[in-house]
Amino acid sequence: MSKPVVAIVGRPNVGKSTLFNVLAGEMISIVKDTPGVTRDRIYADVDWLDREFTLIDTGGIEPDSRDIILSQMREQAQIAIDTADVIIFITDVKQGLVDSDSKVADMLRRSGKPVVLVVNKVDNFDKYMADVYEFYNLGIGDPIPISAASRLGLGDMLDAVIAHFPESDGTEEDDDRPRVAIVGKPNVGKSSIINRLLGENRVIVSDIAGTTRDAIDTEIVHNGKEYVFIDTAGLRRKNKIKEELERYSIIRTVSAVERADVVLMVIDATEGVTEQDAKIAGIAHERGKGVIIVVNKWDAIEKNDKTMREYEAKIRQVLSYMPYAEIMYVSAMTGQRLPKLYDMIDMVIENQTLRIATGVLNEIMTEAVAMQQPPSDKGKRLKLYYITQVAVKPPTFVIFVNDKELMHFSYTRYLENKIREAFGFRGTSLKFFIRERKEKDQ
């Protein structure tokens, strides 16, 4: 089941970032074992009453003049409409209802997406309630009074947000078609790859200026098996500030990756692998998805017998946090090697959903411990009691030990390598949770 995406929209200075930071809590701190992934605070994982969702801050550069503010808000609202399952529209009780609020509310209402209207800075409910009622005039439902800074009213707001999530009635669970997101920087050939796989130009329609849409899902049947491709190519935004464009593409990527099983990370062979590629691939890594790095425009590269090896070394270096990712060299223009993508996708999904019997895992662990002694500190040695797999997509393991502090990252990595030696798990990350068990619990 993919996690719902919730986006925050609102004027400058109404408290978007404060709300985002309060909801994201301390979870923003970057996953420590992912060097090279810089986390712009654009998205965060939030859970409320056992429902998890991805929160997105659509803000960006805060403009200064009134007309720019409106066009910026429209832009943000459009991003939210394109990518989110639920939209939090945040207003400010102290500034009251402003013209641009009404214009954006109209846009949100027409989109038909669920909107939760939030009135921020209500740090005294008795005093401000009359002012809160004014926001009924927006016509997008009941205003929920909150104070992000004082953390008041957030529970009611989150209840309202998760009320819009689809009940997990299993319908999505029955859809076992592989879902593949195609991500990467603009102009690396994402649409061309889909068009080539489709054998027709079906994705191109989306290039008409001003068309708004969710990331288009394209169903492709190959050898009698259906695949769903989620394309983030989306709108070409002309004359936008670079930072905004980048933010926009990251938001698009997060929401596409969230819905996919496997992510095709497309890199332009003529440009080589860049920092922004590392950022985008990092999203798929953090989300525990299967990853295939697709080097496109390979036909345009002058080659000798070392080219591919050198190229791979460079990719592995920049994307050092995902050594498990598969790499393919293709050309959307000539169609070279594209049909092989399907076999690769099938293999990665098989690895994402592989379950290993507990007995076998413990044998591997015992053997690994015998070969390389666990670390010790001040005379106390780490003991590993037991390992078991608790989930798939990605395969997730729990290791019970006597002292969590002693379980260094490098030793976890060593065990991961041993498990990979035995079962491959190519194309998918593995997650490990370390739990403590006192000696007497044995």
Side-chain angles (χ1 to χ4, degrees):
M1 184 81 181
S2 58
K3 279 193 288 191
V5 174
V6 177
I8 303 178
V9 175
R11 277 182 295 115
N13 307 324
V14 293
K16 287 196 295 290
S17 305
T18 313
L19 179 62
F20 179 83
N21 293 341
V22 168
L23 293 180
E26 298 316 302
M27 299 167 65
I28 283 293
S29 66
I30 204 151
V31 184
K32 292 187 191 47
D33 54 351
T34 318
V37 181
T38 51
R39 164 68 69 77
D40 293 332
R41 297 175 65 152
I42 292 182
Y43 62 94
D45 298 322
V46 179
D47 55 75
W48 177 249
L49 304 181
D50 290 343
R51 298 301 299 266
E52 287 189 358
F53 60 91
T54 297
L55 182 68
I56 287 180
D57 179 7
T58 59
I61 300 141
E62 298 293 18
D64 38 17
S65 80
R66 276 232 312 268
D67 17 327
I68 304 182
I69 287 177
L70 182 60
S71 71
Q72 277 260 352
M73 278 183 68
R74 286 201 162 127
E75 184 90 6
Q76 290 168 18
Q78 193 55 63
I79 295 175
I81 292 166
D82 284 353
T83 55
D85 299 298
V86 180
I87 298 165
I88 295 178
F89 182 36
I90 176 171
T91 56
D92 176 345
V93 77
K94 306 224 159 111
Q95 296 175 26
L97 193 50
V98 179
D99 188 38
S100 53
D101 287 336
S102 311
K103 292 203 164 78
V104 171
D106 288 342
M107 224 175 124
L108 295 175
R109 190 171 49 239
R110 283 198 301 273
S111 76
K113 285 265 170 108
V115 178
V116 173
L117 171 60
V118 172
V119 184
N120 191 21
K121 305 191 186 170
V122 182
D123 36 33
N124 177 331
F125 282 21
D126 301 335
K127 184 170 149 199
Y128 288 114
M129 256 355 251
D131 300 326
V132 170
Y133 293 140
E134 183 191 0
F135 289 89
Y136 272 106
N137 293 323
L138 288 174
I140 48 175
D142 302 337
I144 298 173
I146 67 161
S147 164
S150 322
R151 304 184 178 220
L152 295 172
L154 299 182
D156 293 346
M157 176 191 76
L158 289 169
D159 288 346
V161 168
I162 66 176
H164 290 296
F165 293 170
E167 273 312 308
S168 42
D169 51 4
T171 43
E172 196 170 308
E173 307 296 314
D174 300 341
D175 181 0
D176 53 4
R177 299 175 300 178
R179 304 180 71 82
V180 184
I182 300 200
V183 306
K185 294 195 315 252
N187 307 325
V188 289
K190 298 186 290 281
S191 295
S192 323
I193 288 177
I194 292 192
N195 290 337
R196 193 78 201 206
L197 293 172
L198 263 176
E200 50 174 306
N201 283 348
R202 224 171 77 195
V203 186
I204 295 305
V205 252
S206 62
D207 280 351
I208 305 160
T211 49
T212 63
R213 59 192 188 91
D214 288 69
I216 281 192
D217 288 6
T218 310
E219 286 160 20
I220 300 182
V221 179
H222 176 75
N223 288 346
K225 183 172 173 183
E226 265 192 55
Y227 297 79
V228 180
F229 284 85
I230 303 165
D231 171 31
T232 54
L235 310 169
R236 305 268 180 279
R237 303 255 161 159
K238 300 272 184 299
N239 64 33
K240 279 281 165 251
I241 313 167
K242 181 171 168 297
E243 292 139 72
E244 270 190 20
L245 254 176
E246 203 170 291
R247 184 183 193 94
Y248 182 72
S249 71
I250 287 179
I251 291 175
R252 286 306 275 265
T253 303
V254 172
S255 70
V257 165
E258 208 61 87
R259 293 169 45 226
D261 302 309
V262 173
V263 174
L264 303 184
M265 170 72 211
V266 184
I267 288 175
D268 180 334
T270 58
E271 264 189 47
V273 57
T274 65
E275 275 302 295
Q276 202 186 341
D277 292 325
K279 237 185 225 180
I280 293 172
I283 295 170
H285 172 72
E286 283 189 340
R287 293 278 176 274
K289 304 295 179 175
V291 181
I292 301 169
I293 296 162
V294 180
V295 183
N296 187 26
K297 310 187 189 176
W298 192 242
D299 54 311
I301 294 287
E302 292 282 325
K303 297 179 205 45
N304 60 28
D305 51 352
K306 297 192 196 62
T307 314
M308 203 178 271
R309 262 211 315 279
E310 285 165 1
Y311 213 96
E312 171 152 353
K314 180 80 180 103
I315 291 175
R316 294 286 180 214
Q317 181 197 337
V318 177
L319 305 181
S320 58
Y321 54 86
M322 47 190 340
Y324 55 83
E326 289 291 317
I327 300 181
M328 282 189 78
Y329 300 88
V330 306
S331 162
M333 204 155 101
T334 65
Q336 174 191 13
R337 287 199 203 83
L338 276 183
K340 289 208 172 69
L341 263 178
Y342 293 105
D343 298 341
M344 189 72 97
I345 290 165
D346 291 346
M347 175 199 81
V348 171
I349 286 184
E350 210 170 288
N351 286 337
Q352 272 252 301
T353 50
L354 191 59
R355 281 188 187 275
I356 311 292
T358 300
V360 181
L361 280 172
N362 282 286
E363 274 170 36
I364 293 174
M365 186 171 84
T366 310
E367 200 173 294
V369 168
M371 282 166 63
Q372 186 174 322
Q373 267 220 321
S376 63
D377 183 37
K378 302 192 182 65
K380 186 174 185 189
R381 184 166 293 287
L382 172 70
K383 282 187 191 152
L384 289 83
Y385 298 129
Y386 185 75
I387 180 171
T388 183
Q389 184 176 352
V390 292
V392 293
K393 283 188 174 184
T396 304
F397 305 90
V398 173
I399 304 176
F400 291 97
V401 300
N402 60 339
D403 185 347
K404 244 161 68 167
E405 294 299 305
L406 290 172
M407 185 71 170
H408 291 292
F409 169 63
S410 55
Y411 203 74
T412 310
R413 173 65 63 84
Y414 163 68
L415 288 177
E416 173 176 342
N417 291 341
K418 288 293 174 219
I419 290 172
R420 285 188 186 277
E421 273 168 33
F423 301 103
F425 280 119
R426 287 167 52 194
T428 176
S429 61
L430 303 181
K431 283 212 166 106
F432 290 88
F433 291 105
I434 312 300
R435 298 268 152 78
E436 255 175 44
R437 272 199 352 212
K438 295 292 168 263
E439 309 273 339
K440 59 177 185 295
D441 299 347
Q442 284 314 300

